[in-house]
Amino acid sequence: MWRHDAGRNWLGGDSAILIVDSGVSVNYITELNGFYARLLTQPLSSDAQALWGVLMHLCNRAGWPPHFTVASSTLLGLLGFSYSALSRARTELVEGGLITHTPRPGRLAPYYTLHSCCRKPVDKPVDKPCLTLVPKICQP
């Protein structure tokens, strides 16, 4: 069960850190739209997509703090992956420039940095058609 205790994170333990780019206001829906728009030109495996979604969800749930922790065991439990599948998915996100992963010594969980998928605004979202009025050619 997840709860917030003084001195511990809301996941119920002292686990790894996920850092969101500092000074950036994060819009969850805009990031989701940017992520799926990116998939059209830079596909990712379903495991990498699921991992990115869980990291975004956890960071959103925590209120977009600049430093955030998630233990690998928590990710494994949420995703139902093996450790090797988690490692492959994480490597894919790192190589795609979507996250930074920094391992820590011993049993300390790794640091994560989420990188925005929305470096530039989308003018014409795919799910909203652009309607143009056609001028009347003939007047009745």
Side-chain angles (χ1 to χ4, degrees), residues 89-116:
R90 184 170 47 213
T91 298
E92 192 174 349
L93 292 176
V94 168
E95 290 174 355
L98 294 169
I99 66 169
T100 299
H101 170 257
T102 307
R104 298 194 317 171
R107 297 186 52 94
L108 295 174
Y111 286 96
Y112 289 90
T113 303
L114 273 181
H115 302 290
S116 177

